Amino acid sequence: MTDAKIWMDGSFVSWNDAKIHVLTHGLHYGTAVFEGIRCYKTHRGLAIFRLSDHILRLSLSAKIYFMNIKYSKRQIENAVIETINVNEPEENYVRVIAYYGYGKLGVNPLPNKVSVAIAIWKWDESITNREPEKGARLAVSSWTRIDSRSMPTQAKATANYANSALARMEALKMGFDEAVMLNPAGKVIEASAENIFVVRDDVFITPPVSSGALNGITRDSILAILHHSGSPFEIRDISREELYMADEVFLTGTAAGIREVGEIDNRMIGDGCIGKHTMRVKEKFHTITQGRDDIFSKRWLTYANQGQ
Ligand SMILES: Cc1ncc(COP(=O)(O)O)c(C=O)c1O
């Protein structure tokens, strides 16, 4: 498929040889945790966005699942950098996964070894763009988002994505681009794989992590940008009808970037195109990831070719 190399438990293997046993625990019971990380082409070479924050989140996800990862956070960060450096510089998405492996199959994963793998590839656009000049068309899902009474929402575990996949498939089959999910209290919480922001009367609003939204690294970046520029924002629950009354809505995620929303449940948001506030944060985010922002690029970018 590609001649890229994949890091598996400390060694590089070719793409086609990066295989695991069919009785791997994580495959059967969703006992794997992962991160998606972006690496951007900048004038100083490839830059990884918020690498240490991603690896910290991975380690916390692993802790929740009693996973004993045998590599330190620093070792995994270095392995990500190495994986980028041995592969094509055009590739721009890094997946780090830790999983309970092959050994004893049964609900209890603890007897199994924990393995780590790191792969890199070019991510296709994650939210279908039928009309590029328009925002994405969303539908509120009939699937309720998991919440921490049944699944730890802050662990980025593969198991959580069965809920996401059901919502995404439902939205696509109904002709929409993505699903908006409500939490068990009926409040808007996030999309199937992105956080959500609403803008109304020049105020940005996003649901709290304590209500079940993933502590998204892109979400956190947007909040830091807003805080720094003195733009008003609120972190609070959002009701379904507030979506319909919004001036602007956008989604944030590592894979999706900042994605403007044009329609929700067949109601147009603003004029259906990208709004001025969305445009502003999108441009700022782009400047940062291109290594051209004096404050945030320095804080958030790790250059892959350091020391070369
Ligand atoms: C459910 C969910 N919410 C939000 C996000 C956005 O998080 P991040 O910005 O860290 O990619 C993701 C993507 O990982 C996700 O899967």
Side-chain angles (χ1 to χ4, degrees), residues 85-151:
N85 283 330
V86 301
N87 284 298
E88 296 290 309
E90 281 80 32
E91 308 290 6
N92 65 3
Y93 179 90
V94 183
R95 171 63 57 91
V96 184
I97 187 162
Y99 56 95
Y100 281 106
Y102 165 69
K104 196 163 174 10
L105 214 51
V107 168
N108 175 20
L110 295 174
N112 299 298
K113 186 183 141 202
V114 174
S115 285
V116 178
I118 305 169
I120 177 166
W121 69 88
K122 183 144 183 52
W123 188 276
D124 289 333
E125 198 168 18
S126 61
I127 301 176
T128 331
N129 206 351
R130 285 159 219 258
E131 296 175 86
E133 72 287 356
K134 295 251 169 93
R137 294 180 61 241
L138 311 189
V140 171
S141 184
S142 72
W143 295 99
T144 301
R145 183 67 183 150
I146 49 168
D147 90 323
S148 57
R149 286 169 297 184
S150 53
M151 304 282 290

Side-chain angles (χ1 to χ4, degrees), residues 131-137 246-249 259-264 267-275:
E131 296 175 86
E133 72 287 356
K134 295 251 169 93
R137 294 180 61 241
D247 300 324
E248 298 178 33
V249 176
R259 185 71 163 89
E260 56 278 12
V261 172
E263 231 180 272
I264 302 178
R267 288 146 178 104
M268 193 182 278
I269 305 299
D271 62 4
C273 298
I274 184 163

Side-chain angles (χ1 to χ4, degrees), residues 234-251:
E234 295 173 3
I235 299 174
R236 64 159 173 83
D237 285 332
I238 297 173
S239 63
R240 181 173 181 164
E241 63 271 24
E242 272 186 282
L243 292 179
Y244 305 150
M245 299 188 296
D247 300 324
E248 298 178 33
V249 176
F250 62 92
L251 306 177

Side-chain angles (χ1 to χ4, degrees), residues 60-224:
L60 294 174
S61 299
K63 182 179 182 190
I64 291 172
Y65 278 89
F66 294 113
M67 270 183 184
N68 224 337
I69 298 182
K70 65 180 175 194
Y71 308 101
S72 67
K73 293 197 278 296
R74 178 55 66 87
Q75 282 174 315
I76 298 178
E77 285 174 26
N78 287 339
V80 168
I81 294 171
E82 248 189 286
T83 309
I84 290 168
N85 283 330
V86 301
N87 284 298
E88 296 290 309
E90 281 80 32
E91 308 290 6
N92 65 3
Y93 179 90
V94 183
R95 171 63 57 91
V96 184
I97 187 162
Y99 56 95
Y100 281 106
Y102 165 69
K104 196 163 174 10
L105 214 51
V107 168
N108 175 20
L110 295 174
N112 299 298
K113 186 183 141 202
V114 174
S115 285
V116 178
I118 305 169
I120 177 166
W121 69 88
K122 183 144 183 52
W123 188 276
D124 289 333
E125 198 168 18
S126 61
I127 301 176
T128 331
N129 206 351
R130 285 159 219 258
E131 296 175 86
E133 72 287 356
K134 295 251 169 93
R137 294 180 61 241
L138 311 189
V140 171
S141 184
S142 72
W143 295 99
T144 301
R145 183 67 183 150
I146 49 168
D147 90 323
S148 57
R149 286 169 297 184
S150 53
M151 304 282 290
T153 56
Q154 297 312 309
K156 200 168 152 57
T158 55
N160 299 1
Y161 286 82
N163 177 254
S164 297
L166 287 165
R168 177 73 71 98
M169 288 188 291
E170 179 187 63
L172 294 178
K173 289 212 174 270
M174 293 192 314
F176 292 91
D177 301 323
E178 171 58 312
V180 184
M181 303 196 72
L182 306 182
N183 67 12
K187 299 297 182 191
V188 173
I189 199 68
E190 57 190 344
S192 75
E194 301 86 26
N195 291 110
I196 191 164
F197 282 78
V198 164
V199 184
R200 196 163 179 215
D201 297 333
D202 303 319
V203 178
F204 293 75
I205 310 159
T206 194
V209 166
S210 55
S211 296
L214 182 72
N215 192 6
I217 287 175
T218 322
R219 170 188 180 275
D220 181 72
S221 307
I222 300 305
L223 292 174

